[in-house]
Amino acid sequence: MTTIVVAADFGGPEVLSVREIDLPEPGPGQVRIAVRAAGVNPVDVKSYGGSRGTDPSRLPLPLGMEAAGVITAVGPGVERSIGEEVVVFRTSGAYASDLVTAADTALPKPAGLDWAAAGGLLLTGATAVHALTATNVSDGETVLVHGGAGGVGLMAIQLAALRGAQVVATASPAKHALLREFGAIPVAYGAGLLDRVREAAPQGIDAALDLIGTDEAMETSLALVSDPGRVATIANYGPLPKDGVKRLGGGPGADPGTELRNAARAELIDLAGTGRLRVLIDRTYPLAEAADAHRQIIDGHVTGKLVLIP
């Protein structure tokens, strides 16, 4: 039997249910994986929250788009090894003790990358790559990252630095030491943000990443970046002050960047496996406490990533 977590209805974390099921054998082009860690992401919460519709035919709704684990079976036509350690993205139903997924979603895991970090790496990492690529951040530039202490924010800070860019990042003052540790210049959000960013970056801001979706983040970005095409958001899908801002991700009218994000997976795994990219784990939860992990995301007090450990 396999333990899975599903949303039994639409609503809040109280609709999450832990179930035991018989997992089918992998079919052509598929592998079965014993999950060692599964990343928890805001999109998992949104999937059953109602903002994307409440079609009852989608229930029970499997959760989880990324994982890390060990291949335990392969389907016809798949040339993979039983026992191979892998990082999985993008999949469905990763909140589970075992998972059947397309073989091409499972990439080799470096031996030096621990399970929790591997399970929480690729969604945030690929999102950060997409945002930095869409805004063309390059060597010698300065980028403003709103929400620098979150999972995507910490990835964006590191990946921007690897491109040779300087980062100014917003967070609450309690997280400023962490941002400095990751190489960013921290500024507090709230009243006066525009002036604080100008003081932190007198050379100017070349590009901005809105990872939180507030009006303050968008207004500040557009005031500082001369070309709105070098402002990207993964969280603000409403009317924007200027045309040209890049909407990225799964929101209405956004560019999902599927090919770009998939292409980024191997490099992200290599960077993490060789220690050049750090996955900060805020907390791990057992599968049975997935609802508590979602409550923590909703409360907004996550630094880095949350991970489920079956």
Side-chain angles (χ1 to χ4, degrees):
M1 297 292 286
T2 295
T3 303
I4 64 169
V5 177
V6 298
D9 202 346
F10 296 100
E14 71 281 354
V15 305
L16 298 192
S17 173
V18 179
R19 300 184 178 184
E20 299 290 326
I21 66 167
D22 290 318
L23 195 67
E25 290 299 311
Q30 293 182 322
V31 293
R32 186 179 68 215
I33 293 166
V35 177
R36 298 288 184 262
V40 179
N41 297 284
V43 67
D44 301 333
V45 179
K46 294 175 183 177
S47 67
Y48 62 86
S51 63
R52 299 182 177 182
T54 56
D55 181 354
S57 68
R58 296 169 57 209
L59 300 173
L61 186 66
L63 301 173
M65 299 170 63
E66 62 176 348
V70 180
I71 294 178
T72 56
V74 299
V78 177
E79 296 183 0
R80 301 295 288 269
S81 299
I82 304 299
E84 180 184 357
E85 297 182 350
V86 293
V87 186
V88 181
F89 178 76
R90 176 175 183 173
T91 190
S92 175
Y95 288 15
S97 59
D98 299 275
L99 168 69
V100 171
T101 187
D104 61 6
T105 68
L107 283 73
K109 183 187 81 68
L113 185 61
D114 70 57
W115 288 117
L121 166 66
L122 287 183
L123 191 148
T124 51
T127 301
V129 169
H130 189 191
L132 291 166
T133 302
T135 53
N136 196 31
V137 172
S138 59
D139 185 29
E141 294 192 319
T142 303
V143 57
L144 173 61
V145 175
H146 297 277
V152 179
L154 291 175
M155 286 289 169
I157 289 169
Q158 297 175 84
L159 292 169
L162 288 170
R163 292 179 177 222
Q166 173 67 67
V167 180
V168 176
T170 71
S172 63
K175 298 178 180 178
H176 284 189
L178 175 67
L179 295 187
R180 292 189 188 97
E181 179 185 335
F182 275 76
I185 300 170
V187 295
Y189 51 75
L193 174 60
L194 181 59
D195 291 337
R196 288 193 294 277
V197 175
R198 284 177 170 151
E199 182 179 356
Q203 73 275 22
I205 298 293
D206 299 292
L209 312 183
D210 166 28
L211 310 179
I212 53 178
T214 64
D215 289 343
E216 175 188 68
M218 184 56 61
E219 290 166 2
T220 301
S221 298
L222 290 170
L224 292 167
V225 180
S226 58
D227 177 4
R230 300 200 69 192
V231 176
T233 181
I234 65 168
N236 187 337
Y237 301 122
L240 299 176
K242 286 186 180 180
D243 292 334
V245 170
K246 304 287 181 62
R247 296 174 173 89
L248 310 177
D255 170 20
T258 303
E259 290 187 9
L260 189 156
R261 294 185 186 210
N262 283 342
R265 296 176 300 168
E267 182 180 7
L268 289 166
I269 292 170
D270 178 64
L271 290 171
T274 55
R276 290 172 289 166
L277 186 65
R278 177 182 169 195
V279 183
L280 182 68
I281 305 300
D282 183 308
R283 183 174 174 181
T284 63
Y285 290 85
L287 280 180
E289 296 177 13
D292 290 333
H294 283 206
R295 292 185 184 99
Q296 186 178 352
I297 283 182
I298 292 168
D299 289 343
H301 300 299
V302 180
T303 302
K305 287 298 295 279
L306 303 179
V307 175
L308 299 179
I309 305 295

